[in-house]
């Protein structure tokens, strides 16, 4: 006989079986269903196993998505005022001002506006190429000593543009591509407009500074 059936019958009888007779009332009170044979316990164990599997699955997914989120760093900015203005220094990730000799031709660097009220960070891509590599679309007020600067925030979904392949800036999320020698115009992928450009020059001390704000809205939207 199935042990589960046996215990279910003995605990639910109405006095007709031997365990529930008047002569064995002590045995009736002493009996407890085994945790391994009770049907409800079996269901509880299965539900618990499902819970553990679900938690484990969510943990695994989170462990996979966390590095991607760290890589793309989707930009969420509530501040809607100007990011840069005339005379704001460009600084690196450590807060150091960027001198003229910071980059060699073909290099890129993520920079930020020196701390100012209203915004914590506004990631900006600083690139340097030979001056004759730039097209006519790059106006002189947006270039100095071969440097140009563009918003790092992709205009498609707000991810961080982080790579450069042969003068082409690439967003890793959906592979939007922008030509850094053509005012960051779109040359591939889903973005519908180029990266906003920042007018820059050199300060009297030889550091890169902005002469105004980006020439377009930062991030997606703003058509």
């Amino acid at each position: 006989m199935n042990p589960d059936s046996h215990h279910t019958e003995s605990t639910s009888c109405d006095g007709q079986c031997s365990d529930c007779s008047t002569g064995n009332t002590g045995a009736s009170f002493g009996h407890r269903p085994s945790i391994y044979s009770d049907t409800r316990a079996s269901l509880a164990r299965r539900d618990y196993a499902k819970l553990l599997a679900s938690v484990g699955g969510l943990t695994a997914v989170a462990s996979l998505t966390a590095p991607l989120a760290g890589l793309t760093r989707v930009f969420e900015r509530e501040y809607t005022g100007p990011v840069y203005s005339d005379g704001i220094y460009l600084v690196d990730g450590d807060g150091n001002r960027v001198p003229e000799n910071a980059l060699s031709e073909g290099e890129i660097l993520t920079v930020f506006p020196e701390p100012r009220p209203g915004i914590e960070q506004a990631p900006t891509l600083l690139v340097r190429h030979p001056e004759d590599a730039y097209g006519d679309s790059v106006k002189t007020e947006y270039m100095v000593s071969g440097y140009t600067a563009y918003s790092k925030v992709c205009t498609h979904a707000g991810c961080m543009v982080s790579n450069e392949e042969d003068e082409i800036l690439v967003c890793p999320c959906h592979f939007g591509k922008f030509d850094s020698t053509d005012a960051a115009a779109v040359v591939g992928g889903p973005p519908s407009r180029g990266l906003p450009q920042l007018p820059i020059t050199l300060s009297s001390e030889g550091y890169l500074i902005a002469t105004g704000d980006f020439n377009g809205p930062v991030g997606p939207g703003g058509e």
Side-chain angles (χ1 to χ4, degrees):
M1 179 180 294
N2 188 312
D4 288 351
S5 304
H6 171 73
H7 288 295
T8 302
E9 292 171 2
S10 63
T11 56
S12 60
C13 65
D14 54 3
Q16 301 303 316
C17 59
S18 59
D19 287 344
C20 295
S21 63
T22 56
N24 291 300
T25 53
S28 175
F29 285 107
H31 174 75
R32 292 292 184 272
S34 168
I35 189 174
Y36 299 106
S37 59
D38 184 71
T39 304
R40 291 170 298 175
S42 177
L43 291 173
R45 289 199 304 277
R46 287 199 294 269
D47 292 340
Y48 185 64
K50 290 179 182 178
L51 176 62
L52 289 179
S54 299
V55 172
L58 291 174
T59 302
V61 170
S63 67
L64 290 174
T65 57
L68 179 60
L71 171 66
T72 57
R73 291 173 50 214
V74 174
F75 190 61
E76 297 177 359
R77 179 165 68 94
E78 296 180 357
Y79 176 71
T80 57
V83 179
Y84 288 88
S85 61
D86 187 20
I88 295 294
Y89 285 86
L90 278 61
V91 297
D92 62 20
D94 295 322
N96 301 313
R97 293 178 176 179
V98 181
E100 183 179 7
N101 63 353
L103 298 181
S104 299
E105 292 179 350
E107 293 183 332
I108 64 174
L109 176 68
T110 299
V111 297
F112 307 88
E114 199 166 47
R116 55 190 306 233
I119 191 167
E120 181 180 355
Q121 286 188 334
T124 305
L125 277 178
L126 183 67
V127 304
R128 193 177 194 183
H129 296 296
E131 292 194 4
D132 58 7
Y134 291 98
D136 295 337
S137 57
V138 181
K139 298 180 174 63
T140 55
E141 62 265 31
Y142 290 91
M143 178 176 60
V144 63
S145 299
Y147 285 101
T148 51
Y150 307 97
S151 170
K152 188 181 175 77
V153 186
C154 184
T155 53
H156 174 240
C159 298
M160 297 295 108
V161 178
S162 56
N163 304 316
E164 186 178 41
E165 301 172 358
D166 298 328
E167 302 174 355
I168 303 301
L169 303 172
V170 182
C171 177
C173 284
H174 305 98
F175 299 103
K177 297 182 178 181
F178 310 88
D179 189 343
S180 64
T181 62
D182 187 22
V186 178
V187 292
S192 58
R193 64 183 177 92
L195 300 174
Q197 191 169 2
L198 181 71
I200 56 175
T201 190
L202 289 171
S203 70
S204 58
E205 302 94 345
Y207 294 102
L208 289 166
I209 59 173
T211 60
D213 200 8
F214 287 113
N215 65 354
V218 172
E223 297 295 335

